[in-house]
Amino acid sequence: MKRILVTGGAGFIGANFINNILNKRDDVEIVNLDKLTYAGNLENLKPSEDKKNYHFVNGDITNSELINYLFQKYKIEYVINFAAESHVDRSILGSQIFYHTNVIGTNVLLEASRRFDVKKFLQVSTDEVYGSLGPTGLFREDTPLSPNSPYSSSKAAADMMVNAFYHTYGMPVVTTRCSNNYGPLQFPEKLIPLMTLNVLSGKKLPVYGDGLNVRDWIYVIDHNEAVELVFENGREGEVYNIGASQEMTNIEIVKLILNALGKTEDLIEYVKDRPGHDRRYAIDSSKIQNELGWKPKFKFEEAIQKTITWYLENKNWWERILSGEYQKYYNNLYGNR
Ligand code: NAD
Ligand code: TYD
């Protein structure tokens, strides 16, 4: 039995990760530590919540006393750090919580991991640490870090710290840098769920700038299978890029969503651009493909339809987010906080 502290497991990617791994493996015990910020939703974990090898703890990764206590109580051997403030627009409105959670939080986890001699520390990072590309070229693992937003700079700082713990203390760390994810359970502030729900509610679709910024999209299950593979077989001290080579402009995505939902393009509204808006992200994932034999399984054209259908079929899930009801689910399960 591998005892793993998974942080941020009530968010989009972490919850998909936990549900997926617990569905297929019984050789792991998961302690999910999540602060339940606006982005944390315990309803995401319904498939896992009754499993014996799953435990939820409501807490903050920056709380070192709590982290030390959890390492002892659950005899933690591994850490997978998904917890973060993750939305670029929010980081532009206020950066402090981004540096606090993403930098200090990672430091607290690394210090505890060192103290308790963890067998592996996996840092879930992002391609945004590399900055912005022109019309050609791809991010490789040796592309210099050049983050442009408070969000991406906080993630880059954490990546450098993880690297420092490897070189200085010989900690068994590994880092993944993935491109933009989409799929079920994504909080409706990110492009794909936001546009989908706006169409469903008859609202305008706010496209930043000229709509020609490019993102390299990956289905969340493909990302998580790659994380699991790196967790099991990734070499210590290494970084692995994860991406599915599915580049799309924002306007192409918005039109695709409108089309899938049978609505016309007059809902599109071009709005003021995001400050410092990165133009293009695109990933070279040949390292993880060649070294670990990973390959994305989902094609964008099919998985985006699957995702839109999920939002159509799970109206209750997103209505509870829009109304704020989802934040009461903790009390239903565990009593008043
Ligand atoms: P998310 O915002 O949906 O979820 C983040 C989770 O972390 C939430 O459940 C939140 O409650 C929790 N959290 C926030 N601060 C915390 C704290 N101080 N202590 C404990 N828990 C805390 O984010 P996501 O999209 O699931 O992203 C997960 C990770 O993957 C992040 O590290 C992000 O940088 C990285 N990533 C995301 C993408 C993407 O496209 N979404 C792509 C590459 C990498
Ligand atoms: P987002 O989902 O916020 O991811 P990230 O900024 O981390 O890549 O945004 C994806 C792209 O969509 C990005 O180029 C900004 C753009 N965008 C809009 O045009 N309108 C919106 O309302 C949002 C949220 C994003």
Side-chain angles (χ1 to χ4, degrees):
M1 190 67 101
K2 287 184 166 164
R3 290 183 297 273
I4 313 171
L5 177 67
V6 174
T7 68
F12 163 49
I13 303 174
N16 274 296
F17 179 84
I18 292 173
N19 293 337
N20 188 39
I21 201 168
L22 289 180
N23 187 40
K24 61 181 186 186
R25 287 174 62 168
D26 52 17
D27 64 332
V28 292
E29 184 168 359
I30 303 278
V31 178
N32 174 13
L33 171 66
D34 197 295
K35 185 179 171 184
L36 297 180
T37 66
Y38 78 92
N41 182 353
L42 274 187
E43 296 182 10
N44 293 346
L45 292 147
K46 278 185 184 166
S48 303
E49 69 190 21
D50 293 330
K51 296 218 158 82
K52 279 206 190 66
N53 50 343
Y54 170 75
H55 315 274
F56 176 71
V57 179
N58 180 207
D60 192 323
I61 58 167
T62 65
N63 180 344
S64 50
E65 249 174 66
L66 172 68
I67 304 295
N68 286 334
Y69 167 78
L70 293 178
F71 268 78
Q72 279 171 309
K73 176 172 177 189
Y74 293 105
K75 302 188 170 52
I76 297 298
E77 302 167 299
Y78 301 89
V79 176
I80 303 181
N81 184 26
F82 287 98
E85 288 292 337
S86 72
H87 192 43
V88 174
D89 291 328
R90 286 182 189 254
S91 81
I92 294 168
L93 293 173
S95 65
Q96 208 175 0
I97 187 71
F98 281 74
Y99 294 110
H100 186 65
T101 288
N102 301 359
V103 184
I104 307 293
T106 302
N107 180 249
V108 168
L109 291 171
L110 283 167
E111 283 293 356
S113 300
R114 186 159 78 87
R115 195 167 310 119
F116 291 94
D117 253 337
V118 296
K119 295 180 179 152
K120 194 167 249 177
F121 184 103
L122 190 153
Q123 175 70 1
V124 179
S125 187
T126 164
D127 64 350
E128 300 192 27
V129 296
Y130 297 120
S132 184
L133 289 166
T136 58
L138 299 173
F139 294 135
R140 295 163 41 91
E141 287 80 358
D142 57 8
T143 301
L145 302 193
S146 182
N148 293 316
S149 72
Y151 163 66
S152 56
S153 64
S154 69
K155 294 294 289 186
D159 284 16
M160 288 183 165
M161 198 186 328
V162 168
N163 186 50
F165 272 63
Y166 171 70
H167 282 279
T168 306
Y169 305 115
M171 248 186 75
V173 303
V174 67
T175 300
T176 57
R177 294 191 183 131
C178 190
S179 62
N180 286 61
N181 283 221
Y182 64 100
L185 307 179
Q186 187 165 30
F187 197 83
E189 63 184 354
K190 304 272 166 53
L191 181 74
I192 290 177
L194 178 86
M195 296 298 174
T196 306
L197 299 199
N198 278 14
V199 175
L200 294 178
S201 352
K203 289 196 195 144
K204 291 278 186 194
L205 312 183
V207 173
Y208 299 161
D210 61 8
L212 296 178
N213 300 67
V214 172
R215 297 292 182 264
D216 187 353
W217 294 92
I218 183 170
Y219 193 58
V220 63
I221 302 290
D222 276 333
H223 177 193
N224 281 333
E225 299 255 313
V227 167
E228 194 180 337
L229 201 60
V230 171
F231 174 69
E232 292 298 341
N233 302 327
R235 283 185 296 132
E236 286 177 16
E238 294 291 315
V239 172
Y240 294 89
N241 281 353
I242 305 169
S245 304
Q246 300 176 115
E247 290 182 50
M248 302 279 289
T249 61
N250 295 335
I251 193 68
E252 283 173 312
I253 299 220
V254 168
K255 288 184 177 170
L256 192 156
I257 294 171
L258 279 166
N259 197 28
L261 294 170
K263 292 282 168 6
T264 52
E265 291 177 13
D266 49 1
L267 281 180
I268 295 172
E269 184 172 55
Y270 287 92
V271 299
K272 196 167 172 293
D273 207 356
R274 171 189 279 173
H277 196 173
D278 285 339
R279 192 62 173 170
R280 174 170 168 262
Y281 303 144
I283 281 264
D284 176 346
S285 64
S286 53
K287 179 174 174 180
I288 187 172
Q289 301 216 22
N290 296 336
E291 235 184 65
L292 305 181
W294 175 83
K295 251 195 3 226
K297 295 191 183 119
F298 292 88
K299 293 254 167 307
F300 185 80
E301 301 73 41
E302 289 148 35
I304 186 77
Q305 298 296 340
K306 208 171 137 85
T307 302
I308 295 169
T309 304
W310 187 86
Y311 283 90
L312 280 172
E313 288 175 352
N314 288 274
K315 197 163 178 236
N316 190 43
W317 177 87
W318 53 263
E319 277 184 345
R320 288 172 61 76
I321 291 180
L322 298 183
S323 71
E325 276 297 302
Y326 74 110
Q327 287 179 315
K328 298 186 187 152
Y329 190 66
Y330 178 93
N331 296 352
N332 296 351
L333 284 185
Y334 303 107
N336 284 341
R337 269 181 276 188

